[in-house]
Amino acid sequence: MQRVRTSVGPMFSRLASLEAAELITSERDPEDGRKVVYRLTAKGFDLAPALLELGRWAVKYEAGVRRPEPLRLWETERDDFLKQLRKERLRDAPPNTVPTRKSKAAR
């Protein structure tokens, strides 16, 4: 069987940059150690409104850009959208999760 080669190096480089900037954290999936789970930090979460507004701008001014469902929710129910996003995606939102990694300076 022939293996399909893909270039994942750039993706891992971007993820490493986001982690170094403390916008995300990573940990091994407890159920499948081959997988890595990435989550937003509070610092990364705070970028959500700015990124969503950039998305709104793109839909308005760039031809062919469709409005994705998260952007629709952002436009109609901002507070509820951010609460749900925090609950689902923020690293330290749910209780009893694995503790947040300490920054390199704190180690």
Side-chain angles (χ1 to χ4, degrees):
M1 178 163 56
Q2 184 180 4
R3 294 185 87 181
V4 176
R5 292 181 185 213
T6 59
S7 177
V8 294
M11 178 183 64
F12 289 118
S13 176
R14 288 185 194 112
L15 288 169
S17 295
L18 292 171
E19 195 166 11
E22 299 180 350
L23 297 173
I24 62 171
T25 60
S26 66
E27 64 185 47
R28 290 280 172 200
D29 185 323
E31 296 177 14
D32 184 349
R34 298 171 296 173
K35 295 179 183 178
V36 177
V37 177
Y38 293 92
R39 294 197 184 264
L40 289 172
T41 62
K43 183 179 177 181
F45 180 83
D46 285 345
L47 284 173
L51 295 173
L52 289 160
E53 288 302 316
L54 284 171
R56 288 184 68 215
W57 176 88
V59 167
K60 183 175 180 179
Y61 291 107
E62 299 297 315
V65 175
R66 294 183 183 171
R67 179 173 274 106
E69 185 59 25
L71 195 53
R72 286 190 184 107
L73 293 171
W74 170 249
E75 292 171 336
T76 59
E77 303 172 27
R78 288 182 186 216
D79 289 339
D80 290 340
F81 176 80
L82 287 176
K83 284 178 190 174
Q84 187 65 25
L85 184 64
R86 179 176 295 278
K87 181 180 175 185
E88 292 176 3
R89 302 290 180 207
L90 188 61
R91 168 82 182 126
D92 54 0
N96 303 320
T97 59
V98 177
T100 306
R101 287 186 179 180
K102 293 180 182 177
S103 70
K104 291 179 182 175
R107 290 183 193 167

